[in-house]
C-alpha cells in the first residue's frame, strides 16, 4: 500500500504483477506495458526476467536509499486525465490486454462508494483481494480517503474460512468486500455471521440462495456489478430478503443503456446488451486502438459535439459490456448472462478464447472449445471440449490440464476435459457452442470393476457416498482416494456416516479401509479399526526404507496427507500419520506441544524402535515435529530429518501477525460472550450451542462430529498451544516447504532454532491457502524434493 501511494504521488501509474502468474504471462505484461520501474522485495526479485530498461527497486534491500528520500510531497504535473493504473484482463486472442484507468474515474468511483453503500471514519474494512484484481482499489483507497481503517489480510487468511472468520471478529471489521465464492466459503463453514458487518458482493453473478444466506448473517449486504473498463463497480443494489436479486441502479455520474443490435433502446422487460457511459469509463486498451474503438463507441444519445475535438477524451463514449440484461419495472437492472464468450469464474473475468488458443497449440489437439458450466456443488467451473488431431500421440485429460497450467493462471485451467469425436456444427459449418454435451460430473474413471452392494449396510453406505460426493454408481470396492475427494467434503461425509450409523468413524479410518466394503465391516463390528483409536495411523506401510512420520495440522486430522503418502510410497518408503489424541472423544486432549510430542514418540517407536527418525509436520504440526526431534535427541536417539510443510515457528507467526492468533481466538470468543443475546441473538445462541455441545461431549468423553472437531475445537486448541511454546535449538537437518506467495521467509523462522540452516524448497504455483500445498498439482514438487533430499 505504501508503494502504491508513493507511485501515485510521483505522478506515475502502476501495473500490478501477481507473482503467482506464470512467468511467460508476467513477461508479456512487462513488455506490453513498457515498464520503467519494478517495485518488489528480495524474495520475489529474481522471479521475473526484466528488460535492461527496467529499473528494479527492492524495498527491503534499498532501505538506505529510501531513508534518504525527501518526506515532502513532490510537485508533479498530473491532472484528472492522468493515468492511475493499467490492469490486465483476459484477452480473446490468447493475449491479455491492459485497461488504462485515469484518476478522474477512480475518484468518481470512490466518492460514490463513500456515499453508497457508504463508509465513514469509524469503519474498519478488511481487504482480502489480490492487487491484480481491480476491486482491490476500493479496499485499499476508499478507507484512506474517508479516514477509516484498512486491515490487509494475508492470502493465507483470505483463503481459509476459519482464519477469515477470526480476522473479522478480532479486528472488529465493519465492512468486507468479496466475490460470491468467498462469501459461499464462509456460509458453508457454518459461519454464524456478524450483525455489525456490511457485506459487499461482486465479481460474478450472485445466486439467489447465497444472497438469502448472506443477508441473514450480516447487517446489510450489497450486490455490486461492473466491468474493469468502467472502473470496478458501475451499479449496486442492497439485498432485500426474499426479493429477487438484481444488479440495481447506476452509481454517481454513470449512465446505463439497454440496447438492441441496432443500438436502439429496448422496452422494459426485454433483454438487450448493457452499455455504460459516464465518468467511470477507462481511457481504453493499452496499445490496442482498434479494440478500443470497437468496445468504446461514441455515445449516440449525447448532444452533438460542436467543439471539433476528436481526441478520444472529450467525446462522450459508451462501453459495450457484452452482458445481456433487462430493465425491470422498478428501474433496476436484472443480469441475464453473456452475449459473447467472456465469463466470470470465482470472480475472475475470463476470455474463453484465450484458453482455447492455448489448448489449440497442443500437438494432440485438433480443435478446442471451452465453456463455463455449473458443477453439482453449485460452483461454476471451466470445461474444455476437445477433438484429437489425426495421427497424434495419445493424450489424456491430465496431460492437457498440465499443458494449460504452464501458460495460464490457475483460475483459467479447465476443471474437466471432454474428448469428442467431432465438434457439433451449425448449418453454416460453424462450431455450435450451444450443442456441446453436458459434462458428466458424476462419472469418474476407475480401475476397479463395479461390485454392487450386497446388504443393507453397504447399500446405505453407497447411498451416502453417492449423495455427498456427487458421484453416481459407487461400488463397494471403489477406492475413496481415486474418486478425487477433497478433505472438507470428506469431513462432511464422515459426519453423515457417524450420524446415520450411530457410530464414531474417524476420518483416519479411511486410509486402511478406503472402500465401502471395508468401512461397512467396521460399522458392523467385524472389521479391525484398532489403529484408528491411536494417534498413529498407517497410511502406506509398504516399503523397506526408513519410514516418514507426519504430524497433523491445527485441525487435528490427517486426511490431507493422502496424496503425499501415495507419492512417497513409490520411493519404497512407508508413511504414517499422527492425528490428535482426543480427536474422537476416546482419550483426553493434549493442550501443549510438549505433551503431544511425548505422547506420539512411543507410538512412533512401536513401528521403528530406534533412529535415525524422519519426522515432519503440516502447519502447526511442524512445531510438534521439531519438539519430537528434540525429545528423541534428549533420550539418546538420532534424527535424520525434520520436515515442515507450510509450518512456521511461533515467533514467525508473532512477527507476521502482530495481533497473534491466540489473541484473535480469545478476543473473538470473549467478544461473542460480551455482546450477548441482546446485541445479536441468533449469532450468540448459535455459537453458545456449539460451545455447549463441544464442552459436554469432551467432558463425557463422547465423540465429536468431524466438522465440529475441525472448525470449532482443535483449531483453537492448537492456536493456544503454539503460542505458549518456545522451540529448543537442535542439531538436526531440517527441510522447509513453503507456498509461493503465502510466506516471505523460506526457512519459515526455523533457522534460529537449528545448528545449520534449513534446506528450503519453494512450492511453486498459486496457493491461496496453506493446505493447497498438500493437493494436486503442488504436492508433486513437495514429494519429489523430499525424496531427492532423503536420497
Amino acid at each position: 500500500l505504501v508503494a502504491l501511494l508513493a507511485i501515485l504521488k510521483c505522478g506515475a501509474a502502476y501495473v500490478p504483477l501477481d507473482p503467482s502468474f506464470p512467468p511467460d504471462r508476467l513477461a508479456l505484461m512487462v513488455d506490453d506495458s513498457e515498464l520503467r520501474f519494478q517495485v518488489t522485495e528480495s524474495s520475489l526479485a529474481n522471479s521475473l526476467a526484466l528488460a535492461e530498461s527496467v529499473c528494479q527497486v527492492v524495498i527491503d534491500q534499498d532501505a538506505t536509499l529510501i531513508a534518504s528520500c525527501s518526506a515532502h510531497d513532490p510537485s508533479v504535473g498530473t491532472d484528472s486525465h492522468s493515468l492511475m493504473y493499467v490492469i490486465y484482463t483476459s484477452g480473446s486472442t490468447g493475449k491479455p490486454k491492459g485497461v488504462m484507468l485515469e484518476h478522474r474515474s477512480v475518484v468518481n468511483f470512490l466518492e460514490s462508494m463513500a456515499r453508497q453503500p457508504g463508509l465513514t471514519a469509524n469503519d474498519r474494512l478488511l481487504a482480502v483481494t489480490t492487487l491484480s484484481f481491480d476491486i482491490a482499489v476500493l479496499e485499499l483507497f476508499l478507507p484512506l480517503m474517508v479516514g477509516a481503517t484498512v486491515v490487509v489480510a494475508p492470502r493465507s487468511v483470505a483463503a481459509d474460512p476459519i482464519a477469515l472468520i477470526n480476522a473479522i471478529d478480532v479486528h472488529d471489521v465493519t465492512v468486507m468486500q468479496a466475490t460470491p465464492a468467498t462469501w459461499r466459503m464462509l456460509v458453508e463453514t457454518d459461519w454464524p455471521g456478524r450483525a455489525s458487518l456490511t457485506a459487499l458482493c461482486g465479481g460474478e453473478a450472485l445466486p439467489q440462495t447465497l444472497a438469502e444466506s448472506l443477508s441473514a448473517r450480516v447487517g446489510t449486504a450489497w450486490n455490486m456489478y461492473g466491468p474493469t473498463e468502467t472502473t470496478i463497480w458501475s451499479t449496486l443494489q442492497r439485498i432485500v430478503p426474499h426479493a429477487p436479486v438484481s444488479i440495481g441502479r447506476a452509481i454517481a455520474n454513470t449512465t446505463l443503456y439497454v440496447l438492441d443490435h441496432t443500438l436502439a433502446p429496448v422496452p422494459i422487460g426485454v433483454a438487450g446488451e448493457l452499455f455504460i457511459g459516464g465518468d467511470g469509463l477507462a481511457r481504453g486498451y493499452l496499445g490496442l486502438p482498434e479494440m478500443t474503438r470497437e468496445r468504446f463507441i461514441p455515445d449516440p444519445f449525447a448532444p452533438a459535439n460542436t467543439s471539433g475535438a476528436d481526441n478520444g477524451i472529450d467525446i462522450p463514449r459508451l462501453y459495450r459490456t457484452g452482458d445481456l440484461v433487462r430493465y425491470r419495472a422498478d428501474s433496476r437492472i436484472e443480469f441475464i448472462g453473456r452475449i459473447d464468450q467472456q465469463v466470470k469464474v470465482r470472480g475472475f473475468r475470463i476470455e474463453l478464447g484465450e484458453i482455447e488458443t492455448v489448448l489449440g497449440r497442443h500437438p494432440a489437439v485438433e480443435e478446442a472449445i471451452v465453456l463455463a458450466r455449473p458443477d453439482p456443488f453449485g460452483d461454476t467451473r471451466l470445461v474444455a471440449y476437445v477433438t484429437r488431431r489425426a495421427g497424434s500421440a495419445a493424450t489424456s485429460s491430465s496431460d492437457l490440464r498440465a499443458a494449460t497450467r504452464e501458460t495460464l493462471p490457475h483460475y483459467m485451467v479447465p476443471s474437466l476435459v471432454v474428448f469428442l469425436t467431432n465438434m457439433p456444427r451449425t448449418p453454416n459449418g460453424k462450431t455450435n457452442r450451444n450443442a456441446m454435451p453436458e459434462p458428466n460430473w458424476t462419472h469418474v474413471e476407475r480401475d476397479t470393476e463395479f461390485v454392487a452392494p450386497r446388504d443393507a449396510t453397504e447399500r446405505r453406505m453407497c447411498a451416502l457416498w453417492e449423495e455427498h460426493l456427487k458421484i453416481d454408481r459407487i461400488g463397494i470396492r471403489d477406492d475413496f482416494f481415486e474418486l478425487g475427494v477433497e478433505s472438507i467434503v470428506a469431513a462432511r461425509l464422515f459426519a453423515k456416516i457417524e450420524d446415520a450409523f450411530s457410530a464414531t468413524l474417524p476420518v483416519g479410518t479411511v486410509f486402511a479401509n478406503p472402500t465401502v466394503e471395508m468401512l461397512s465391516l467396521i460399522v458392523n463390528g467385524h472389521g479391525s479399526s484398532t489403529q484408528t483409536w491411536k494417534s498413529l495411523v498407517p497410511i502406506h506401510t509398504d516399503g523397506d526404507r526408513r519410514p516418514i512420520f507426519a504430524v497433523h495440522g491445527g485441525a487435528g486430522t490427517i486426511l490431507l496427507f493422502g496424496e503425499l503418502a501415495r507419492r512417497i510410497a513409490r520411493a519404497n518408503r512407508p508413511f504414517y500419520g499422527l492425528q490428535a489424541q482426543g480427536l474422537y472423544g476416546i482419550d483426553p486432549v493434549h493442550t501443549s506441544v510438549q505433551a503431544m510430542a511425548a505422547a506420539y514418540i512411543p507410538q512412533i517407536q512401536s513401528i521403528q524402535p530406534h533412529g535415525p527418525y524422519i519426522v515432519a509436520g503440516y502447519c502447526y504440526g511442524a512445531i510438534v515435529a521439531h519438539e519430537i526431534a528434540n525429545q528423541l535427541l534428549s533420550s539418546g536417539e538420532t534424527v535424520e530429518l525434520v520436515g515442515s510443510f507450510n509450518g512456521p515457528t511461533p515467533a514467525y507467526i508473532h512477527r507476521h501477525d502482530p495481533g497473534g492468533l491466540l489473541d484473535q481466538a480469545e478476543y473473538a470468543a470473549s467478544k461473542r460472550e460480551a455482546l450477548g443475546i441482546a446485541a445479536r441473538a441468533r449469532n450468540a445462541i448459535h455459537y453458545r450451542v456449539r460451545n455447549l455441545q463441544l464442552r459436554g461431549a469432551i467432558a463425557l468423553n463422547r465423540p465429536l462430529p468431524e466438522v465440529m472437531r475441525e472448525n470449532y475445537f482443535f483449531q483453537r486448541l492448537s492456536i493456544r498451544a503454539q503460542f505458549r511454546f518456545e522451540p529448543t535449538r537442535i542439531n538436526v537437518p531440517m527441510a522447509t516447504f513453503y507456498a509461493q506467495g503465502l510466506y516471505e521467509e523460506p526457512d519459515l523462522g526455523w533457522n534460529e532454532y537449528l545448528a545449520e540452516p534449513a534446506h528450503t524448497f519453494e512450492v511453486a504455483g498459486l496457493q491461496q491457502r496453506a493446505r493447497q500445498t498438500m493437493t494436486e498439482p503442488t504436492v508433486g514438487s513437495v514429494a519429489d524434493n523430499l525424496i531427492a533430499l532423503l536420497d
Side-chain angles (χ1 to χ4, degrees):
L1 181 53
V2 172
L4 291 183
L5 292 174
I7 291 168
L8 297 178
K9 279 175 177 264
C10 73
Y14 68 85
V15 180
L17 298 176
D18 193 321
S20 68
F21 283 8
D24 288 350
R25 190 178 185 87
L26 292 175
L28 187 151
M29 293 161 64
V30 170
D31 180 65
D32 185 72
S33 59
E34 299 181 346
L35 291 186
R36 294 284 306 280
F37 297 88
Q38 185 199 37
V39 182
T40 186
E41 55 192 34
S42 57
S43 65
L44 301 172
N46 298 322
S47 62
L48 178 63
L50 298 171
E52 293 183 359
S53 59
V54 179
C55 174
Q56 193 175 65
V57 180
V58 184
I59 293 290
D60 49 349
Q61 289 181 354
D62 299 336
T64 303
L65 172 65
I66 295 170
S68 67
C69 294
S70 169
H72 297 289
D73 287 342
S75 177
V76 294
T78 57
D79 60 27
S80 64
H81 286 288
S82 294
L83 198 62
M84 178 173 170
Y85 63 88
V86 175
I87 193 162
Y88 280 80
T89 66
S90 177
S92 59
T93 61
K95 175 183 176 182
K97 54 185 183 289
V99 184
M100 300 180 288
L101 279 304
E102 299 175 345
H103 282 271
R104 67 184 183 92
S105 299
V106 178
V107 169
N108 178 75
F109 166 73
L110 294 176
E111 290 283 1
S112 182
M113 292 296 103
R115 291 196 292 271
Q116 193 180 44
L119 199 75
T120 71
N122 296 323
D123 282 307
R124 299 172 67 85
L125 186 148
L126 183 63
V128 299
T129 308
T130 62
L131 195 60
S132 56
F133 196 172
D134 65 341
I135 69 175
V137 170
L138 179 149
E139 297 176 346
L140 298 180
F141 294 117
L142 182 58
L144 301 188
M145 191 185 77
V146 302
T149 299
V150 56
V151 180
V152 182
R155 284 193 184 191
S156 56
V157 170
D160 186 331
I162 303 302
L164 190 55
I165 290 169
N166 281 337
I168 292 171
D169 284 338
V170 72
H171 294 295
D172 200 16
V173 171
T174 60
V175 179
M176 191 175 96
Q177 170 188 254
T179 63
T182 298
W183 289 117
R184 183 184 294 112
M185 177 180 72
L186 291 184
V187 168
E188 291 183 349
T189 311
D190 211 12
W191 175 47
R194 185 177 177 87
S196 58
L197 182 67
T198 295
L200 310 182
C201 187
E204 58 186 341
L206 175 62
Q208 184 73 41
T209 54
L210 179 58
E212 298 285 351
S213 298
L214 180 59
S215 61
R217 287 170 165 83
V218 299
T220 55
W222 293 78
N223 189 29
M224 325 287 279
Y225 163 86
T228 299
E229 289 85 348
T230 61
T231 314
I232 308 160
W233 306 133
S234 299
T235 73
L236 76 169
Q237 175 63 48
R238 183 171 177 174
I239 298 171
V240 178
H242 312 303
V245 173
S246 77
I247 60 174
R249 300 188 177 103
I251 70 168
N253 301 309
T254 299
T255 55
L256 307 175
Y257 296 98
V258 182
L259 310 178
D260 63 18
H261 68 283
T262 67
L263 300 185
V266 299
I268 291 174
V270 176
E273 183 178 359
L274 178 61
F275 288 72
I276 302 177
D279 289 347
L281 263 64
R283 183 185 295 179
Y285 299 114
L286 181 63
L288 298 171
E290 292 186 5
M291 183 177 289
T292 299
R293 285 192 291 271
E294 176 188 342
R295 304 298 296 186
F296 295 84
I297 65 171
D299 184 351
F301 308 104
N305 179 26
T306 57
S307 67
D310 189 16
N311 55 13
I313 293 177
D314 299 323
I315 296 177
R317 300 173 301 156
L318 296 178
Y319 172 71
R320 57 188 322 153
T321 66
D323 286 332
L324 194 65
V325 303
R326 59 174 161 239
Y327 265 113
R328 299 194 323 200
D330 59 5
S331 77
R332 291 177 173 85
I333 290 179
E334 179 183 348
F335 177 84
I336 300 173
R338 290 292 299 172
I339 64 169
D340 56 18
Q341 297 174 27
Q342 191 183 94
V343 298
K344 278 197 174 182
V345 177
R346 296 186 300 278
F348 291 98
R349 193 177 72 177
I350 295 170
E351 291 281 4
L352 297 177
E354 183 173 4
I355 310 173
E356 294 167 358
T357 300
V358 172
L359 284 168
R361 297 186 187 128
H362 194 281
V365 174
E366 178 67 28
E367 190 175 359
I369 295 295
V370 180
L371 300 177
R373 299 276 187 147
D375 71 4
F377 295 97
D379 292 325
T380 299
R381 293 161 71 185
L382 297 173
V383 179
Y385 296 88
V386 171
T387 57
R388 290 185 171 94
R389 183 168 297 169
S392 65
T395 187
S396 65
S397 173
S398 59
D399 291 337
L400 293 182
R401 295 181 72 250
T404 61
R405 197 178 293 116
E406 293 176 0
T407 306
L408 300 172
H410 73 105
Y411 58 83
M412 294 177 70
V413 176
S415 298
L416 190 67
V417 177
V418 178
F419 291 97
L420 301 176
T421 304
N422 296 291
M423 287 288 180
R425 305 289 180 184
T426 62
N428 61 7
K430 293 184 178 180
T431 302
N432 189 348
R433 307 176 73 92
N434 294 328
M436 294 296 166
E438 286 292 327
N440 188 359
W441 298 105
T442 65
H443 178 69
V444 177
E445 295 293 341
R446 306 160 205 173
D447 297 329
T448 57
E449 181 181 352
F450 175 79
V451 179
R454 299 160 299 189
D455 57 31
T457 301
E458 290 181 348
R459 284 193 291 272
R460 195 173 185 188
M461 187 79 73
C462 283
L464 285 170
W465 282 41
E466 291 172 357
E467 176 186 357
H468 293 282
L469 305 185
K470 307 295 185 186
I471 296 173
D472 62 5
R473 205 166 180 263
I474 287 179
I476 63 171
R477 291 177 187 160
D478 287 342
D479 189 287
F480 184 85
F481 296 102
E482 292 177 0
L483 300 176
V485 181
E486 294 185 0
S487 59
I488 186 64
V489 177
R492 292 172 183 160
L493 169 61
F494 273 74
K496 293 296 183 183
I497 292 174
E498 289 176 338
D499 181 64
F501 292 98
S502 301
T504 298
L505 194 63
V507 166
T509 307
V510 79
F511 288 116
N513 308 273
T515 67
V516 166
E517 183 178 38
M518 294 175 174
L519 289 177
S520 296
L521 282 173
I522 293 174
V523 167
N524 288 333
H526 303 303
S528 174
S529 62
T530 55
Q531 292 281 10
T532 64
W533 303 117
K534 300 178 181 178
S535 290
L536 188 77
V537 176
I539 300 178
H540 279 285
T541 57
D542 295 334
D544 55 12
R545 306 188 74 179
R546 197 165 291 133
I548 295 173
F549 299 92
V551 182
H552 59 83
T557 57
I558 56 170
L559 187 66
L560 78 167
F561 288 137
E563 183 56 36
L564 176 64
R566 281 192 291 279
R567 289 175 176 268
I568 295 294
R570 296 170 193 165
N572 205 27
R573 286 189 185 274
F575 193 103
Y576 294 85
L578 287 156
Q579 60 189 354
Q581 179 173 300
L583 194 61
Y584 304 106
I586 302 303
D587 299 302
V589 297
H590 294 301
T591 58
S592 74
V593 173
Q594 296 93 329
M596 283 187 180
Y600 298 161
I601 287 174
Q603 297 185 50
I604 291 172
Q605 291 180 327
S606 70
I607 302 298
Q608 182 184 345
H610 298 288
Y613 294 98
I614 303 169
V615 292
Y618 161 74
C619 196
Y620 163 77
I623 301 173
V624 181
H626 187 276
E627 176 60 15
I628 288 174
N630 175 53
Q631 293 187 20
L632 285 169
L633 292 175
S634 299
S635 67
E637 293 288 354
T638 57
V639 178
E640 179 180 350
L641 183 72
V642 176
S644 166
F645 308 125
N646 277 339
T649 66
Y652 178 98
I653 299 170
H654 275 300
R655 285 197 302 273
H656 294 273
D657 180 19
L661 290 173
L662 172 63
D663 298 334
Q664 289 185 22
E666 292 180 342
Y667 175 79
S670 64
K671 184 157 186 131
R672 291 186 183 99
E673 294 295 331
L675 286 175
I677 295 176
R680 47 176 191 167
R682 178 180 55 81
N683 295 347
I685 292 172
H686 174 97
Y687 186 79
R688 287 174 176 176
V689 166
R690 289 293 196 193
N691 262 330
L692 285 172
Q693 287 177 311
L694 284 166
R695 294 179 184 278
I698 293 165
L700 297 172
N701 264 356
R702 289 181 179 171
L704 310 174
E706 192 68 37
V707 174
M708 288 177 67
R709 285 192 286 262
E710 178 166 342
N711 292 352
Y712 288 88
F713 183 65
F714 274 86
Q715 289 282 9
R716 289 172 173 80
L717 181 77
S718 61
I719 287 168
R720 287 173 171 81
Q722 71 187 19
F723 277 96
R724 293 171 181 151
F725 178 70
E726 175 67 25
T728 302
R729 183 180 174 87
I730 60 175
N731 186 9
V732 169
M734 187 167 187
T736 61
F737 298 84
Y738 64 100
Q740 183 186 82
L742 286 182
Y743 295 104
E744 297 83 4
E745 299 173 22
D747 71 302
L748 301 176
W750 285 110
N751 279 350
E752 62 180 294
Y753 302 105
L754 302 171
E756 298 290 338
H759 304 274
T760 61
F761 300 93
E762 181 183 63
V763 184
L766 178 68
Q767 293 167 72
Q768 296 178 326
R769 53 187 302 190
R771 191 170 290 194
Q772 284 179 259
T773 297
M774 296 286 100
T775 61
E776 293 284 9
T778 52
V779 71
S781 67
V782 176
D784 292 344
N785 283 313
L786 180 56
I787 291 168
L789 180 64
L790 290 172
D791 287 346

